[in-house]
Amino acid sequence: MTLKDKILNKQSGIITYGMTPPKLANAPEKNLEISQKQFERLRHLEIDGLILYDVQEEASRMEQDRPFPYLPTMEPADYSKQYLSQLEVPKIVYRCVGKYTKAELEEWVSADSEQDRFSVFVGASSSKQEVKLDLAEAIQISKQRNGNMLLGGVVIPERHIKKNDEHVRVAEKTRNGCSFFVSQATYNVEASKNFLSDYYYYCRENEIEMVPILFNLAPCGSAKTLEFMKWLGISIPKWLENELLFSQDILDKSVRLSQKIFEELLDFGLEKGIPIGCSIESVSSRKVEIEASVQMVKDIKAVIDKKCYQLQ
């Protein structure tokens, strides 16, 4: 079954891999070298789609200095078209819509309208960020301009702890045209289950069909990576942070904890009929963490095959 079919059928078990395009300043030869390594890593993975992130600086969102320097990256759609065409899986292109004008987004959305396309629209990282286009308008442009564009949104279960309305946000974006959602890296299982529970009962009460929720998993291989994750706004409970920092092998510990968290969320979703999927990435460019994320795809795929397809 294709990614489009799984999304439209609201099926559990979608699995994707995510990565950030190379630096904008790279020479074409360097990008070719990077893309070839990525192709070799991913070519044999059984994934439904490849997520390509659109990175924004987010300096207005956080007061702390960024642990790793921000460097502009290639446009994900350009990188996909120029360097990843040989990787024959659907590409899910993130789009930080605030940096585009209405005309620019209309042109991009309307292109290749005869093909199935997938995108996740991302709004401003904070209320202080200046934008040319807001998220709601961008979603409407997509609906009006391209019927073959399956649009996704971002879900932040951790935000649910403070505002208790993330389920309403997701339902409203679904009404407006979003067909699936992807979270940031998931280390707070309680926040995620709280969101899922409220989402389930809200949809049941309001007769809204639930759409696939892809929980992101990202291995953490060092204290520096952990610091970066926290800077990104990823919620890491204190007990779990201690487990990582004081473990003999922080990478192995994070992988095992992440898999356990996802299994708990998947079981919770399957019990209630919430379509749960998984997106895996490495937030670090360190080879050992990237390789761990690739292995995690295989391990999570085995979990999904066992739990989802034994019910069919």
Side-chain angles (χ1 to χ4, degrees):
M1 189 178 289
T2 66
L3 175 61
K4 180 178 180 179
D5 291 335
K6 289 183 177 182
I7 292 173
L8 293 179
N9 290 327
K10 300 171 177 58
Q11 185 170 329
S12 291
I14 294 172
I15 185 166
T16 64
Y17 188 82
M19 60 190 191
T20 302
K23 303 296 180 283
L24 186 60
N26 284 356
E29 302 79 39
K30 180 65 174 177
N31 289 336
L32 189 62
E33 178 188 340
I34 292 170
S35 64
Q36 190 58 37
K37 287 181 180 177
Q38 291 170 336
F39 173 70
E40 292 301 328
R41 284 193 187 105
L42 302 177
R43 62 188 296 191
H44 298 304
L45 286 186
E46 295 181 68
I47 54 176
D48 294 300
L50 176 70
I51 288 178
L52 293 167
Y53 293 111
D54 189 10
V55 180
Q56 51 188 336
E57 187 172 4
E58 302 189 273
S60 62
R61 185 178 60 82
M62 298 292 285
E63 295 180 0
Q64 300 96 328
D65 290 337
R66 184 185 176 102
F68 298 112
Y70 169 76
L71 295 171
T73 59
M74 280 190 72
E75 289 281 351
D78 293 342
Y79 183 60
S80 173
K81 188 168 288 188
Q82 295 174 30
Y83 294 97
L84 295 175
S85 58
Q86 61 181 332
L87 192 62
E88 296 180 349
V89 296
K91 314 300 193 303
I92 304 170
V93 175
Y94 267 54
R95 209 74 171 169
C96 297
V97 297
K99 63 184 183 182
Y100 302 101
T101 64
K102 181 179 179 181
E104 287 171 336
L105 191 71
E106 284 178 341
E107 181 181 1
W108 181 76
V109 166
S110 301
D112 302 320
S113 58
E114 72 287 351
Q115 300 175 10
D116 290 335
R117 292 176 60 197
F118 306 85
S119 186
V120 172
F121 282 3
V122 183
S125 61
S126 78
S127 58
K128 300 176 185 177
Q129 183 179 342
E130 293 185 15
V131 298
K132 299 176 184 177
L133 191 68
D134 67 34
L135 184 59
E137 188 177 5
I139 292 173
Q140 286 304 309
I141 288 171
S142 176
K143 283 177 63 178
Q144 294 164 4
R145 293 279 177 161
N146 191 342
N148 284 325
M149 174 82 78
L150 272 180
L151 195 62
V154 173
V155 58
I156 306 177
E158 292 82 1
R159 187 162 57 191
H160 198 64
I161 298 173
K162 297 179 180 179
K163 299 189 175 182
N164 289 314
D165 67 349
E166 195 67 12
H167 60 300
V168 180
R169 289 171 183 258
V170 167
E172 186 62 29
K173 288 180 182 178
T174 301
R175 288 192 193 99
N176 290 338
C178 288
S179 302
F180 64 98
F181 290 84
V182 185
S183 80
Q184 62 184 13
T186 306
Y187 277 95
N188 191 327
V189 69
E190 183 176 0
S192 299
K193 288 178 76 172
N194 285 346
F195 155 72
L196 286 176
S197 178
D198 285 341
Y199 179 55
Y200 170 74
Y201 288 108
Y202 182 84
C203 288
R204 190 175 75 169
E205 182 179 342
N206 292 278
E207 298 183 343
I208 300 168
E209 275 198 284
M210 295 179 290
V211 299
I213 308 291
L214 277 60
F215 285 99
N216 181 285
L217 303 181
C220 176
S222 70
K224 190 74 171 178
T225 299
L226 182 63
E227 182 185 354
F228 183 47
M229 285 180 162
K230 291 170 68 176
W231 184 90
L232 288 170
I234 295 167
S235 174
I236 302 176
K238 183 60 179 177
W239 72 266
L240 197 150
E241 183 177 346
N242 285 339
E243 288 295 300
L244 294 176
L245 289 175
F246 294 102
S247 64
Q248 292 185 333
D249 187 336
I250 185 172
L251 181 58
D252 178 68
K253 188 73 170 181
S254 78
V255 167
R256 288 189 286 112
L257 283 170
S258 293
Q259 181 167 326
K260 186 176 179 181
I261 286 169
F262 178 72
E263 288 193 54
E264 188 171 340
L265 295 175
L266 181 60
D267 286 340
F268 189 78
L270 289 172
E271 181 183 330
K272 295 187 176 301
I274 310 169
I276 301 295
C278 186
S279 178
I280 296 164
E281 66 170 306
S282 172
V283 301
S284 168
S285 59
R286 294 174 64 221
K287 183 179 179 182
V288 64
E289 291 183 59
I290 294 172
E291 290 177 345
S293 69
V294 170
Q295 181 59 47
M296 191 185 287
V297 172
K298 300 173 183 177
D299 296 340
I300 293 297
K301 180 70 168 59
V303 170
I304 286 173
D305 287 347
K306 178 181 178 182
K307 291 182 178 288
C308 292
Y309 301 121
Q310 69 182 5
L311 299 177
Q312 297 179 359

